[in-house]
Every structure is written in structure tokens, then in C-alpha cells.
Amino acid sequence: MRRNKRKRKLNAADFATEEAVSCQAQHIMFGSVPSPGNLSGKSDSEADESSQDIVNVDFEFFDPNPGDFHGVKALLRSYLGDATWDLSGFVNIILAQRTVGTVIKTAEEESPIGVITALNIGRYKDHCCMKEIGNFLIGKSDQKQHATKLEAFLKQYPHDVGLLVSERLINLPVELALPLHEGLFDEISWATEDEPSQALRDAYKFKFYLLMTRVFEELPKRKAKGNGRKAKKEGGNMLNIKNREDSGESGKFIYIKPEDEIFHEMSIWFYTFPASNEPLAAHETKRMRQLGLVMAVAAEQIPVFRSQLAALVQKG
């Protein structure tokens, strides 16, 4: 018998910190880079002023619903950057899959401010939107080894791969990441037992997850003449700055969503690409640039991911 997912309501009291939650949330799009340290997109003076106006907000989790179409479409409008593709069809797939997936709102009648789901690539491979996503990702892979691995995911064993889609407004509390992902992976587990047909149950037996997200890269500083000393490493913060020397990247990554750092660390392969087709300077601000990050994560690593995410959120 299928289990019913209960609507969950969260407020500031549910979070590890006692800070009030700001209502002023904003979505970061590919190619739109706010200044470092101020990811709200406001000027520094505006950010200082708005930080004084904070209120408590309740967040409610709902099953995907066709009535959320326009709100979810707005959240995903930059999923493939500035590409023209069947976004409406993609949103329809997400909202039709009610067994696995969550939409965040501040009230049932309000517009969504976040969405998370996992779609079986093989199940939806014949949909125009899924083909376009595959072509987009392959086109962004600048090395043959990345394209080969990605094509294997998309063509050789797509039924084993879940496309993990997670978008939410940038200013939402980082603590939301934990119940969102706990709920998602619980639902996936339940679906392998509770779906009415064997085909549907098998559709959630993922062996891998494919993710596409956004990160900022800190551009390397210019070395002063006669100064051969290495720059001192900077500590991390809630945006999770980390060196990726082993990946060949030139600078540090700043993770917009805390869970992305964990996925990145445990990924079996990944690659990055410029987040815009515009000239490089158009999406660089104060020695920062925005990148798309594509990652593959083995499903067997999810229990470790859940533990690490819980520890990260608790640590604050």
C-alpha cells in the first residue's frame, strides 16, 4: 500500500540557529553574478539596510502539483542558461511525478520558492526536454572523457540514472537543505517498494545521480613583482569555499548551496563550463565568475551524503 507523504511545516524554531529568516529571497540565474559576499544581488548599502528588516517565515513542503506550473517554471527558467528548449515540458514531468519530489512554499496558495526531485533519465528519454538537456550537457563538456562518460549515462544505461533537480531561492535558510534531501531520498526508497507496478518500482532503483548546479570561482590574484610567496589559504564559510587543485581548476569554488560541496567531494566525475555565452567579463564581478558544475554521484554514497549534510547543517 502506497504511503502518503505528509505536508511538513517548518519555521525558524526548527533550524539549528536562532536567527530570524529574511523574507527577501532572490534567485541567481546563469550569467547573473552579484558581488561576492552579497549574493542577494543588492548593492552593499542596500544589503546593510535590508538586513535590519527581518521577519519569521514558515516554510511548508508540498507534493508537486500542476497548479504550481508557473512558479516552478520561474525557478527553472535558467536551468539551461540562455538556451531555448522545452522548459514547459520539463516542468510538466516534474509536477506529474507526485510520488517523489517536493515543492517549498510559505503557504499553500503562494508561489513555489523551491523544488527538488529526481527523474529517471531512461523513463523520460523520449521526451523532447530530456533530449535537449542531454544535448546541452554533452555540448558543454570540453573534454572527450567527460563526453564519453556522460553519453554512457544518457544512452547506455539511462534507466540506472536519476537526474537530481534542485532549485530554490538564494536567501532561503541553509537548514532547509537537510529536510529537503532527507525527504527526497526517503521517497525514492519508499517508491521502490510502494509503486503499483514493477516497472515503476524499478524506475526509482537508481545506481547513479546526475546533477547540474552553479558555483562561483574565485579568479587567481595577480602576483606582485618580486613576490614569489604563495597566497595564504582562506577559511570556508556558509558559502563553502574550497580549493579544487586536483581538478585542474584555477581558483577556489564558492558553493551557493551547501549540499553541492558534499556532492562535489564524493562525485565519481565532474566538469565545469562557463555559465553564459556572453563575453567572459560580462559575468565576472570583483574577481569572481559563475560556472555550471555537472556531477555524477554513485547512489551507494547517499547514506554518507546524508550524514555529512546533517553534520554540516548542525555545525552551521
Side-chain angles (χ1 to χ4, degrees), residues 28 37 115 132 171 176 224 241 297 303:
I28 284 188
V115 62
E132 290 170 325
N171 284 14
L176 282 174
I241 301 177
V297 176

Side-chain angles (χ1 to χ4, degrees), residues 200-307:
L200 286 175
R201 290 191 290 272
D202 290 345
Y204 294 104
K205 295 178 180 179
F206 301 121
K207 295 181 180 178
F208 304 95
Y209 290 98
L210 181 65
L211 303 90
M212 179 171 61
T213 188
R214 297 174 299 281
V215 295
F216 288 97
E217 183 186 27
E218 185 180 70
L219 300 178
K221 296 180 180 179
R222 296 179 181 178
K223 293 183 179 180
K225 293 182 178 180
N227 184 2
R229 292 179 299 175
K230 293 183 179 179
K232 184 178 180 181
K233 291 184 180 180
E234 298 179 14
N237 58 17
M238 288 307 293
L239 292 176
N240 306 308
I241 301 177
K242 183 171 288 294
N243 269 321
R244 295 298 298 183
E245 296 174 355
D246 59 324
S247 70
E249 299 295 337
S250 59
K252 298 175 182 177
F253 280 178
I254 298 179
Y255 299 89
I256 301 171
K257 294 179 291 186
E259 64 269 23
D260 289 341
E261 179 183 12
I262 303 174
F263 280 133
H264 196 179
E265 290 290 344
M266 62 177 50
S267 61
I268 55 178
W269 55 261
F270 70 91
Y271 64 88
T272 62
F273 60 89
S276 173
N277 291 327
E278 300 174 0
L280 190 61
H283 62 285
E284 291 182 2
T285 305
K286 294 183 180 179
R287 313 193 68 81
M288 306 288 290
R289 66 173 175 173
Q290 192 177 175
L291 299 174
L293 172 62
V294 179
M295 304 176 280
V297 176
E300 63 184 14
Q301 289 294 312
I302 294 305
V304 178
F305 165 82
R306 295 174 69 159
S307 296

Side-chain angles (χ1 to χ4, degrees), residues 177-193:
L178 183 58
L180 277 175
H181 287 83
E182 291 280 358
L184 176 69
F185 293 120
D186 280 347
E187 289 173 354
I188 291 172
S189 177
W190 297 339
T192 64
E193 302 174 359

Side-chain angles (χ1 to χ4, degrees), residues 95-141:
L95 298 180
Q97 181 179 278
R98 304 199 67 192
T99 304
V100 171
T102 296
V103 173
I104 314 172
K105 302 181 188 180
T106 55
E108 188 166 5
E109 66 277 6
E110 296 295 329
S111 183
I113 55 177
V115 62
I116 189 170
T117 192
L119 304 173
N120 185 296
I121 293 178
R123 180 182 180 186
Y124 300 108
K125 63 183 177 64
D126 293 329
H127 289 250
C128 180
C129 59
M130 197 63 76
K131 293 179 181 179
E132 290 170 325
I133 290 173
N135 291 335
F136 175 87
L137 295 177
I138 291 174
K140 294 297 184 180
S141 56

Side-chain angles (χ1 to χ4, degrees), residues 50-70:
S50 64
S51 66
Q52 303 301 318
D53 302 324
I54 55 178
V55 295
N56 286 322
V57 177
D58 290 334
F59 298 96
E60 300 184 47
F61 292 0
F62 296 89
D63 291 324
N65 188 295
D68 296 324
F69 175 85
H70 294 291

